[in-house]
Amino acid sequence: MKLIADFHLHSKYSRAVSPKMDLENMDKWASIKGVDVLTTGDFTHPDWFKILKEKLEPSEQGLFRLKNSRFKTRFILTTEISNIYVKNGKTRKIHNVIGASSFKIAEKINNCLSSIGNLRADGRPILKLESKELLKIVLDVSEDYFFTPAHIWTPYFGLLGSKSGFDSIEECFEDYSKYIYSVETGLSSDPPMNRRLSELDRITLISNSDAHSLQKIGREANVFDTELSYSSILSAIKNKDPKKFLYTIEFYPQEGKYYYDGHRECEVSCSPAQTKKYNGVCPVCGKPLTVGVLNRVEQLADKPEELQSHNVIPYKSIVPLSAIIAETLGVGEGTKKVEKYYQALIEKFGSEFKCLLDVPESDLKLATLPEIVERILMARKGKLEVKPGYDGVFGRIKFFSHNKKRYPLKQSTLF
């Protein structure tokens, strides 16, 4: 069966996360978005773990559902760990996503990690533990392990990031690199960018939302054609099977807040060529520029853009439906006008993903304003222009109509 999965988000027990990120709301919004399998996130946090055990019940193998729910959402147990440690004389700051097929296995992982750091301090705990050692713990606890380095190109806390990581998976995990079968590409990169690094040829690229609020669930996701079970989904990822792992759903990478280099305080945004011209420092204040994902990919890539792997999982890029509606109406994304048109489309077609990816143009035209339909179709075809994000500032999208009129999307409301 076809299903959409999002393996990475955070509960209300993580820092800078909406207090509405509880199971009931996550269950509801997964249905609205069209996400079939959603992570619980944060299973390492004692209070959240207790809630998960109380409110979830087993469904298919390795998956759970919310008790007495009217929605069909399935939950999978995953959490993100912030590994901060010194290796080879450098401070490393790496985020890793780990998963478990049962509460028993998750509890064993928690017991091991609780002796290393304070799991109660944050839903995404900070542990003075090498990424390799974390992987060892997960391997010792479970054979059907889920372990994925998170948003690998992000300057801060990405495995290959310019400020926090390494220059290769092997440098980080050494002889345990063979157990890394997937990586999360993050919002500021897409699959073609990742395929320029030969080391990632054998790796399955997955995409997740890393959502801190309900509306951001599924902003990136993974589409499978498998049985609804933990082992079937995991097998599709491990084997990088295009018949079972159909495609990933992607943020336009230029929208990501670390695509270009730059310095937020001085509002300086730079392409890799400009960064080289400025010798890596801000032309306004002289402080070092934050090297973004595009530049970092250029530094590590050993293949040109036109020479990429053949055995790859396809992808599709999207713009959130509420953002398209808000821009069309010329109002804020959180207004009642937007909600009215948004809910009408969801009620008509079932979910946001169906509206953005699947519903034919003729059906869309019968259900909403032609201007909204026009922009949905332009987003599907990539007929848009993006002002790249940089140093923590999200990028900005502009649509073009048939008469070349520009339609700017206000990023402050989009995200």
Side-chain angles (χ1 to χ4, degrees):
M1 64 177 293
K2 183 179 178 181
L3 56 93
I4 299 177
D6 183 353
F7 303 119
H8 182 187
L9 53 68
H10 293 282
S11 74
K12 62 182 180 179
Y13 288 93
S14 284
R15 293 172 187 169
V17 172
S18 167
K20 294 182 180 180
M21 288 291 277
D22 56 31
L23 283 174
E24 289 78 12
N25 281 318
M26 289 159 61
D27 184 39
K28 173 185 174 181
W29 273 88
S31 178
I32 291 172
K33 291 286 187 172
V35 175
D36 303 289
V37 179
L38 185 67
T39 173
T40 61
D42 300 352
F43 75 63
T44 45
H45 194 280
D47 294 340
W48 184 239
F49 190 65
K50 181 180 178 182
I51 291 173
L52 297 179
K53 292 178 72 175
E54 290 174 350
K55 294 189 174 184
L56 296 179
E57 61 183 6
S59 53
E60 297 77 15
Q61 182 269 327
L63 302 177
F64 303 86
R65 59 180 168 234
L66 184 63
K67 294 177 181 177
N68 303 316
S69 172
R70 63 187 178 92
F71 302 110
K72 297 180 180 180
T73 309
R74 294 299 187 261
F75 287 93
I76 187 170
L77 300 173
T78 78
T79 189
E80 184 181 30
I81 307 296
S82 180
N83 296 88
I84 300 180
Y85 55 99
V86 176
K87 184 169 184 175
N88 299 330
K90 295 182 180 180
T91 299
R92 314 290 183 169
K93 299 179 180 180
I94 312 297
H95 286 177
N96 296 291
V97 176
I98 60 177
S101 59
S102 69
F103 281 114
K104 183 178 180 180
I105 290 173
E107 194 161 17
K108 286 182 178 180
I109 293 173
N110 289 348
N111 290 337
C112 292
L113 299 183
S114 63
S115 63
I116 299 170
N118 183 6
L119 300 185
R120 192 178 294 277
D122 190 16
R124 180 180 57 206
I126 298 173
L127 302 180
K128 191 177 181 180
L129 177 71
E130 276 198 39
S131 294
K132 183 181 74 171
E133 298 303 319
L134 175 63
L135 176 55
K136 285 183 180 180
I137 290 171
V138 175
L139 286 170
D140 288 342
V141 170
S142 174
E143 292 182 357
D144 59 347
Y145 68 99
F146 182 96
F147 191 106
T148 297
H151 41 72
I152 61 168
W153 295 101
T154 303
Y156 305 95
F157 304 105
L159 172 62
L160 300 177
S162 61
K163 289 183 176 291
S164 61
F166 301 87
D167 289 340
S168 69
I169 294 174
E170 186 175 2
E171 186 184 358
C172 178
F173 291 97
E174 300 173 346
D175 52 335
Y176 278 77
S177 298
K178 61 185 177 182
Y179 297 109
I180 301 297
Y181 54 80
S182 65
V183 297
E184 183 184 77
T185 58
L187 301 181
S188 296
S189 82
D190 61 10
M193 294 169 67
N194 285 265
R195 292 174 196 147
R196 294 190 59 199
L197 188 62
S198 295
E199 185 185 28
L200 298 181
D201 284 350
R202 70 172 184 86
I203 301 291
T204 303
L205 305 177
I206 66 173
S207 298
N208 303 298
S209 68
D210 195 4
H212 287 214
S213 64
L214 296 166
Q215 291 81 358
K216 292 181 181 178
I217 287 173
R219 59 181 171 181
E220 290 202 333
N222 312 275
V223 184
F224 300 94
D225 186 4
T226 68
E227 293 180 2
L228 186 59
S229 71
Y230 177 95
S231 59
S232 295
I233 294 170
L234 200 67
S235 175
I237 296 173
K238 284 185 173 181
N239 296 322
K240 200 163 66 169
D241 184 349
K243 293 183 179 179
K244 294 183 177 180
F245 191 167
L246 301 182
Y247 58 91
T248 57
I249 297 172
E250 301 285 332
F251 214 60
Y252 281 95
Q254 297 91 336
E255 291 182 74
K257 58 183 181 179
Y258 292 108
Y259 184 77
Y260 255 13
D261 310 332
H263 186 210
R264 183 173 188 168
E265 291 181 8
C266 296
E267 299 183 350
V268 172
S269 173
C270 300
S271 68
Q274 290 172 318
T275 298
K276 186 176 181 180
K277 175 183 175 182
Y278 297 140
N279 295 316
V281 299
C282 175
V284 176
C285 70
K287 292 182 179 179
L289 294 168
T290 297
V291 175
V293 172
L294 180 63
N295 198 341
R296 185 61 172 161
V297 170
E298 290 288 345
Q299 291 174 9
L300 298 184
D302 56 1
K303 292 188 290 184
E305 294 181 22
E306 64 272 13
L307 181 62
Q308 298 182 358
S309 307
H310 296 291
N311 182 28
V312 298
I313 304 298
Y315 72 99
K316 296 181 181 181
S317 299
I318 63 170
V319 175
L321 180 59
S322 58
I324 292 174
I325 296 171
E327 187 274 331
T328 303
L329 301 178
V331 297
E333 192 173 346
T335 61
K336 290 184 178 180
K337 269 190 174 183
V338 171
E339 184 179 359
K340 174 186 173 182
Y341 284 96
Y342 183 90
Q343 291 298 334
L345 284 168
I346 300 303
E347 289 174 11
K348 176 70 175 178
F349 300 115
S351 73
E352 179 171 342
F353 279 141
K354 286 184 179 178
C355 294
L356 293 176
L357 298 171
D358 301 325
V359 178
E361 178 181 356
S362 57
D363 291 344
L364 286 172
K365 286 183 175 179
L366 294 174
T368 192
L369 298 176
E371 294 85 357
I372 293 175
V373 177
E374 180 186 20
R375 289 169 203 182
I376 290 174
L377 298 176
M378 283 191 285
R380 288 181 184 179
K381 299 174 183 178
K383 292 185 176 180
L384 41 80
E385 184 180 277
V386 187
K387 181 179 180 181
Y390 67 96
D391 194 23
V393 179
F394 280 107
R396 297 182 64 186
I397 284 181
K398 293 180 180 180
F399 283 112
F400 293 87
S401 72
H402 296 304
N403 60 12
K404 303 300 180 182
K405 181 180 178 180
R406 295 192 176 198
Y407 298 99
L409 276 173
K410 296 179 180 178
Q411 201 68 34
S412 59
T413 58
L414 178 55
F415 301 103

